[in-house]
Amino acid sequence: MKRTSRISATSRRVALCAVVVLAATSASVAAADEAADEAAGPFGVTAVVGATAESARVGALFAADKAGSLSGNHFCTASVVHSPQRDLIVSAAHCVDGDDDPSGLVFVPGYRDGQAPYGVWKVGKRYLPDGWAHGQSEDSDVAFAVVEELDGKRVEDVTGSNRFAAGVATGATAVTVTGYPNSREVPISCTNRPAAHSATQQRIDCPEFTGGTSGSPWVNGDHEVVGVLGGHEQGGATADTSYSVVLGTEAAELYKDATGG
């Protein structure tokens, strides 16, 4: 009986230690997340983005026949994501599905005031998820596109890139959304923590994200794209709340198709 009692007491001490360690680890993770969020603040404030290495990865989309006259003609946003071929952008599916652009599309990273500081890149092959291609499901409103070489260079070598990350929990950390409203000739950005809208949609509260910001990347502190403005109501019916598809299995498979992997 004493031996049994001793084993039970030892087990209780081990279990207690495990609980303490787990609690300390969870507290450390929570503190790290909170510190990262504080560093990213202030939350929910939208401002014009300066010309930086990070903002160069985000650009505006134009119909190809507007390539010689960029001012006032952009209609959606896209961003460069890492790929083995170093030539890939991500946007909303409703921005690049091809139905409304018989002349083709061009991507202008770092677009600002009618200028293309990193060049005008022709958009080539596009990759749309089945859910969008066969019914335009709002839960599939994300797409990739290859951009062709320009002067012998690939876009990622010129602008850098963020990583595409499917499977990240909604609201795990704050994200920064950067995009091009149709009414402006410069990009804007806002940082906040996303929240679940449904099992397949996430939302973020950021003012002034009007038409033209569809396709804007939601980038976390690890330079990962964890959302793309679009989805519910093609990104949202109001300027203050925007949406994104939850990037899950379908998005991961689409990225795999687009990268040949």
Side-chain angles (χ1 to χ4, degrees):
M1 292 294 295
K2 290 181 179 180
R3 182 176 183 183
T4 303
S5 298
R6 184 179 180 184
I7 292 172
S8 298
T10 302
S11 298
R12 286 196 296 273
R13 286 196 294 272
V14 171
L16 178 60
C17 289
V19 170
V20 170
V21 170
L22 179 60
T25 302
S26 299
S28 298
V29 171
D33 286 346
E34 184 176 350
D37 284 351
E38 289 176 355
F43 285 178
V45 176
T46 297
V48 171
V49 180
T52 65
E54 287 75 21
S55 65
R57 302 167 186 175
V58 183
L61 291 174
F62 300 77
D65 60 5
K66 303 297 183 182
S69 179
L70 297 176
S71 293
N73 288 313
H74 55 93
F75 68 91
C76 265
T77 302
S79 66
V80 183
V81 289
H82 175 66
S83 66
Q85 296 78 23
R86 307 182 72 79
D87 59 0
L88 200 65
I89 59 174
V90 66
S91 187
H94 75 262
C95 288
V96 301
D97 66 5
D99 292 340
D100 300 320
D101 50 81
S103 66
L105 296 177
V106 294
F107 171 64
V108 183
Y111 172 74
R112 190 176 296 269
D113 295 322
Q115 302 299 309
Y118 302 96
V120 177
W121 301 75
K122 183 177 174 59
V123 175
K125 186 173 181 179
R126 306 167 201 186
Y127 294 85
L128 303 172
D130 288 341
W132 183 268
H134 302 302
Q136 297 190 344
S137 168
E138 67 175 20
D139 293 333
S140 300
D141 193 8
V142 61
F144 296 96
V146 171
V147 293
E148 299 179 3
E149 288 188 5
L150 179 64
D151 298 328
K153 298 179 180 179
R154 298 187 179 185
V155 66
E156 188 176 340
D157 295 323
V158 175
T159 66
S161 65
N162 295 308
R163 295 183 297 276
F164 184 77
V168 176
T170 296
T173 63
V175 302
T176 298
V177 185
T178 303
Y180 286 85
N182 291 340
S183 59
R184 292 176 179 257
E185 292 298 285
V186 291
I188 61 172
S189 74
C190 171
T191 299
N192 213 336
R193 186 184 283 267
H197 174 68
S198 68
T200 55
Q201 298 281 333
Q202 52 186 324
R203 63 175 175 80
I204 193 167
D205 293 328
C206 279
E208 302 181 52
F209 276 76
T210 54
T213 59
S214 288
S216 298
W218 299 18
V219 181
N220 67 15
D222 292 326
H223 304 291
E224 295 173 329
V225 175
V226 297
V228 176
L229 202 155
H232 181 59
E233 297 174 334
Q234 294 197 350
T238 70
D240 294 338
T241 300
S242 299
Y243 298 87
S244 166
V245 172
V246 172
L247 301 179
T249 301
E250 184 179 50
E253 289 297 321
L254 188 67
Y255 176 77
K256 184 176 179 180
D257 289 344
T259 58

